[in-house]
C-alpha cells in the first residue's frame, strides 16, 4: 500500500459508496430543482436520443412521470426524506402514496416504474439520527402497500444510502462492516430487502475525496491507474470505485448477504464550483465510467456481476442547496437547457447529443451600465441582493467565471438574477446601475446564460410578486464579499 493509501480510502468512506446486479443499459439521475426547468417531454426525448433507458427520480413529480409514460425508460421513483415520518406512521398513508404515485402512473400512463427508493441517504451522519426511527417502518409500509396494490412482484423497494453506513477500521476493503451505531438496523433492512427481492442502493462520489483532502492522489479518483494503489492481500486497488464497492461487498458477506444485489444510485463529476470541478476532469471521469459500463466490467470481489449504475446527473440544477459546496449545482452531463457540456462517447460509438425543441427567452442580457462606476456605494448591496436570489456559484474561487474583471463580475450577478426571473419587467432595475444589452457578454469559459422560456417574461414584478420571487429563489451566498475582495485584492485564480 502507498504511504497514505489507507487514509485516502478511509476519507472516501466518509463521502461515498457503490454496488452490483447485472448491468443492462445506462441510467441517469433526473432532478428538477431548477429555476427554469427543461420541459419534461423534451427531457424524455433527450434521454432516448442518448440511449439512457433508466432514470432515478427524487420525488413523484406528475408532469415528469406523465412524460415518461410509454417511453421505454425504466424508473426508480424516490420518496423524499420529509415523507418518511408520515409513511412510517400509517400503512394507509403508504397505500395512498402508492396509489397516487405508483399505481396510477403505471396503469393510466404506462410508466415503467421498477423501484421505489424510500428516502435519500437517511442515515447520513450529518442528519444526527433524524431519520433513524422512521426509515425502516416507512420501507415496510411501502412494501405492504405495493403488495396490496398487486405490484409486489413488479415494483421492488430499496433505500439509497451514503457510504458512511459502512466503514473499514484498517482502511482496506476486506475490513469493511456496517457502522456500529446502525449495524443491527442495517442488517434488518438488508434482510428485508433480500426477502422481498429488492437491491441495496449506494451513492458514490470520488470527487468528494478530492474536495475533502487536497493531498488525495487525483489519479486514484479516476480509472487510468495510480502510483499509490491500495493493496489488500493479493489485490491492488487502483481506483476508489472498486475499493469502496468491494468494501461494501465485504460488509455484506460478513453478515451473511454475499449474494445481495447492489445498485450504484449516484456517481458522477461536477463541472463548476470548485478547482477540481471542471469540464476536463468531468469528461475524464465520466468517459472512464461509461467505458466500464460498456465493457460490463466488475470489480475484484464481483468480477462477473457489474452493477447497474445511475450517473449523477442528467442536467444542472440551479436551485439545489449549496451547503455541501458550490459544485452542487453543476453535476449535469448537460447544462440547464440540455446543451452538451463536453463530448462523451457512448457504448454504441455515438456522441452525446443535445436537447431538441428548446425555446429560449429573448437574446438579451442585464449588465452593468457603461456609465456606472464600480465605486458607486450601491454596487455591493445590489450584487449581494442579486446573488442571494439567483445562482452565482460560477463566480467562486476556481470556478468558470472566477477570472472576470470587476465590471464583468457585477454584470454576471445582475444577469443571473434577470434570467432566473424570466426576464420579467423590472428585474433589470438595479437603481441606475444596470441596462439591457443584446451583445452577448460571455467570455471564454464563462457563460452569461439566457434562460428557457417558461411563459412568465411578460409579467411585471409587483411588490407581492417580488416577495414571492425572493422566497422561491432563496439561496444564501455572500457573493458581495467575493466581489469586494476582487476589487481590492484580485479574485483568487
Amino acid at each position: 500500500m502507498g504511504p497514505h493509501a489507507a487514509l485516502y480510502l478511509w476519507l472516501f468512506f466518509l463521502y461515498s459508496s457503490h454496488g452490483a446486479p447485472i448491468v443492462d443499459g445506462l441510467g441517469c439521475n433526473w432532478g428538477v430543482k431548477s429555476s427554469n426547468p427543461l420541459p419534461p417531454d423534451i427531457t424524455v426525448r433527450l434521454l432516448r436520443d442518448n440511449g439512457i433507458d433508466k432514470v432515478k427520480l427524487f420525488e413523484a413529480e406528475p408532469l415528469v412521470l406523465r412524460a415518461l409514460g410509454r417511453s421505454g425508460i425504466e424508473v426508480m421513483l424516490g420518496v423524499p426524506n420529509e415523507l418518511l415520518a408520515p409513511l412510517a406512521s400509517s400503512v394507509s398513508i403508504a397505500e395512498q402514496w402508492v396509489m397516487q404515485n405508483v399505481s396510477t402512473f403505471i396503469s393510466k400512463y404506462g410508466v415503467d416504474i421498477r423501484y421505489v427508493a424510500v428516502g435519500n441517504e437517511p442515515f447520513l451522519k450529518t442528519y444526527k439520527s433524524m431519520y433513524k426511527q422512521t426509515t425502516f417502518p416507512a420501507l415496510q409500509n411501502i412494501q405492504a402497500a405495493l403488495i396490496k396494490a398487486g405490484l409486489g412482484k413488479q415494483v421492488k423497494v430499496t433505500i439509497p444510502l451514503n457510504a458512511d453506513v459502512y466503514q473499514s477500521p484498517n482502511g482496506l476493503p476486506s475490513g469493511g462492516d456496517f457502522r456500529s451505531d446502525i449495524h443491527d438496523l442495517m442488517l434488518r433492512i438488508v434482510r428485508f430487502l433480500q426477502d422481498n427481492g429488492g437491491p441495496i442502493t449506494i451513492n458514490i462520489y470520488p470527487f468528494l475525496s478530492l474536495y475533502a483532502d487536497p493531498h488525495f492522489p487525483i489519479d486514484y479518483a479516476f480509472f487510468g491507474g495510480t502510483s499509490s494503489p491500495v493493496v489488500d492481500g493479493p489485490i491492488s486497488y487502483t481506483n476508489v470505485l472498486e475499493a469502496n464497492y468491494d468494501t461494501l461487498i465485504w460488509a455484506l458477506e460478513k453478515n451473511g448477504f454475499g449474494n445481495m444485489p447492489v445498485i450504484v444510485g449516484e456517481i458522477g463529476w461536477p463541472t463548476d464550483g470548485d478547482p477540481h470541478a471542471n469540464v476536463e476532469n468531468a469528461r475524464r471521469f465520466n468517459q472512464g465510467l461509461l467505458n466500464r459500463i460498456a465493457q460490463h466490467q466488475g470489480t475484484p470481489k464481483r468480477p462477473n456481476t457489474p452493477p447497474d449504475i445511475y450517473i449523477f446527473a442528467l442536467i444542472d440544477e440551479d436551485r439545489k442547496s449549496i451547503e455541501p459546496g458550490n459544485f452542487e449545482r453543476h453535476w449535469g452531463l448537460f447544462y440547464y437547457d440540455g446543451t452538451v457540456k463536453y463530448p462523451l462517447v457512448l457504448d454504441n460509438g455515438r456522441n452525446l447529443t443535445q436537447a431538441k425543441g428548446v425555446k429560449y427567452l429573448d437574446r438579451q442580457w442585464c449588465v452593468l451600465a457603461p456609465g456606472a462606476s464600480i465605486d458607486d456605494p450601491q454596487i455591493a448591496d445590489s450584487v449581494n441582493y442579486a446573488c442571494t436570489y439567483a445562482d452565482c456559484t460560477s463566480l467562486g474561487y476556481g470556478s468558470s467565471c472566477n477570472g472576470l474583471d470587476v465590471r464583468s463580475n457585477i454584470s454576471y450577478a445582475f444577469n443571473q438574477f434577470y434570467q432566473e426571473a424570466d426576464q420579467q419587467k423590472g428585474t433589470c432595475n438595479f437603481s441606475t446601475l444596470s441596462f439591457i444589452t443584446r451583445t452577448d457578454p460571455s467570455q471564454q469559459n464563462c457563460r452569461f446564460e439566457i434562460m428557457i422560456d417558461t411563459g412568465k417574461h411578460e409579467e411585471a414584478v409587483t411588490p407581492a410578486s417580488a416577495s414571492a420571487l425572493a422566497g422561491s429563489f432563496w439561496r444564501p451566498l455572500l457573493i458581495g464579499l467575493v466581489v469586494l475582495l476582487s476589487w481590492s485584492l484580485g479574485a483568487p485564480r
Side-chain angles (χ1 to χ4, degrees), residues 30 40-41 60-68 105:
W30 177 2
D41 59 331
E61 170 56 49
L63 293 179
V64 169
L65 287 169
R66 289 179 188 177
L68 286 165
F105 285 100

Side-chain angles (χ1 to χ4, degrees), residues 409-462:
N409 194 305
I410 298 167
S411 292
Y412 184 92
F414 287 175
N415 186 65
Q416 282 297 107
F417 181 86
Y418 178 61
Q419 300 295 341
E420 292 187 28
D422 298 292
Q423 296 185 6
Q424 293 181 52
K425 297 174 183 178
T427 55
C428 186
N429 182 20
F430 294 91
S431 301
T432 59
L433 301 174
S434 56
F435 87 117
I436 294 173
T437 179
R438 292 189 175 272
T439 301
D440 187 351
S442 299
Q443 300 179 28
Q444 298 178 334
N445 295 327
C446 180
R447 293 166 37 122
F448 280 62
E449 307 287 10
I450 293 178
M451 288 297 175
I452 296 169
D453 188 353
T454 59
K456 299 177 182 177
H457 55 287
E458 294 300 330
E459 301 173 8
V461 176
T462 64

Side-chain angles (χ1 to χ4, degrees), residues 78-90 93-94 97 117-123 127 130-139 141-142 158-160:
V79 175
N81 287 339
E82 55 266 27
L83 294 183
L84 293 176
L87 290 171
S89 69
S90 168
I93 292 177
W97 188 92
V118 181
N120 184 33
E121 300 185 339
F123 305 135
Y127 289 152
M130 182 185 304
Y131 305 110
K132 187 176 178 180
Q133 303 301 322
T134 55
T135 300
F136 189 27
L139 180 73
N141 286 346
I142 288 290
T158 186
I159 300 178

Side-chain angles (χ1 to χ4, degrees), residues 132-428:
K132 187 176 178 180
Q133 303 301 322
T134 55
T135 300
F136 189 27
L139 180 73
Q140 293 173 304
N141 286 346
I142 288 290
Q143 177 64 41
L146 289 170
I147 292 173
K148 184 174 182 179
L151 298 171
K153 294 183 178 180
Q154 177 179 346
V155 182
K156 302 302 180 182
V157 291
T158 186
I159 300 178
L161 299 165
N162 184 276
D164 72 355
V165 299
Y166 57 87
Q167 56 193 11
S168 175
N170 63 3
L172 299 176
S174 60
D177 203 351
F178 294 111
R179 209 171 73 212
S180 60
D181 62 307
I182 57 171
H183 189 275
D184 291 344
L185 175 59
M186 281 301 304
L187 296 191
R188 294 199 303 272
I189 287 173
V190 175
R191 184 174 294 109
F192 182 83
L193 292 174
Q194 185 179 69
D195 290 346
N196 289 279
I200 187 171
T201 300
I202 304 293
N203 300 339
I204 174 172
Y205 285 108
F207 165 79
L208 294 179
S209 299
L210 292 176
Y211 184 72
D213 177 14
H215 303 294
F216 189 91
I218 188 168
D219 287 342
Y220 192 57
F222 297 91
F223 303 106
T226 178
S227 59
S228 302
V230 171
V231 179
D232 190 1
I235 302 172
S236 291
Y237 289 95
T238 60
N239 63 77
V240 173
L241 172 61
E242 291 189 352
N244 199 3
Y245 172 89
D246 279 1
T247 305
L248 172 60
I249 302 307
W250 273 105
L252 290 168
E253 288 184 356
K254 286 177 182 177
N255 292 284
F257 302 102
N259 296 319
M260 185 70 188
V262 185
I263 289 176
V264 178
E266 298 177 22
I267 183 170
W269 202 280
T271 55
D272 211 348
D274 182 78
H276 289 300
N278 54 59
V279 166
E280 292 76 19
N281 283 345
R283 181 184 182 186
R284 178 184 176 189
F285 181 84
N286 283 324
Q287 187 63 68
L289 182 63
L290 288 172
N291 292 345
R292 291 180 63 94
I293 294 171
Q295 296 162 12
H296 300 278
Q297 186 174 349
T299 68
K301 287 292 289 179
R302 287 187 175 178
N304 300 316
T305 52
D308 263 349
I309 292 176
Y310 292 78
I311 294 175
F312 191 85
L314 183 66
I315 302 172
D316 284 350
E317 298 174 80
D318 63 2
R319 284 189 174 178
K320 285 195 70 178
S321 167
I322 58 171
E323 185 176 352
N326 287 346
F327 54 82
E328 273 299 301
R329 295 175 179 172
H330 304 280
W331 288 94
L333 297 176
F334 301 88
Y335 289 107
Y336 72 99
D337 58 351
T339 54
V340 177
K341 290 185 178 181
Y342 49 87
L344 285 175
V345 180
L346 306 174
D347 62 353
N348 53 14
R350 296 181 305 170
N351 291 319
L352 281 183
T353 181
Q354 71 179 36
K356 300 177 178 65
V358 180
K359 296 181 180 180
Y360 295 89
L361 298 173
D362 290 343
R363 284 187 57 81
Q364 58 189 29
W365 297 262
C366 179
V367 297
L368 183 66
S373 170
I374 62 174
D375 296 321
D376 191 301
Q378 298 180 88
I379 287 283
D381 286 343
S382 296
V383 170
N384 189 58
Y385 180 84
C387 290
T388 295
Y389 301 123
D391 177 28
C392 295
T393 54
S394 293
L395 292 174
Y397 170 61
S399 301
S400 61
C401 298
N402 180 220
L404 296 178
D405 62 21
V406 174
R407 298 192 69 89
S408 296
N409 194 305
I410 298 167
S411 292
Y412 184 92
F414 287 175
N415 186 65
Q416 282 297 107
F417 181 86
Y418 178 61
Q419 300 295 341
E420 292 187 28
D422 298 292
Q423 296 185 6
Q424 293 181 52
K425 297 174 183 178
T427 55
C428 186

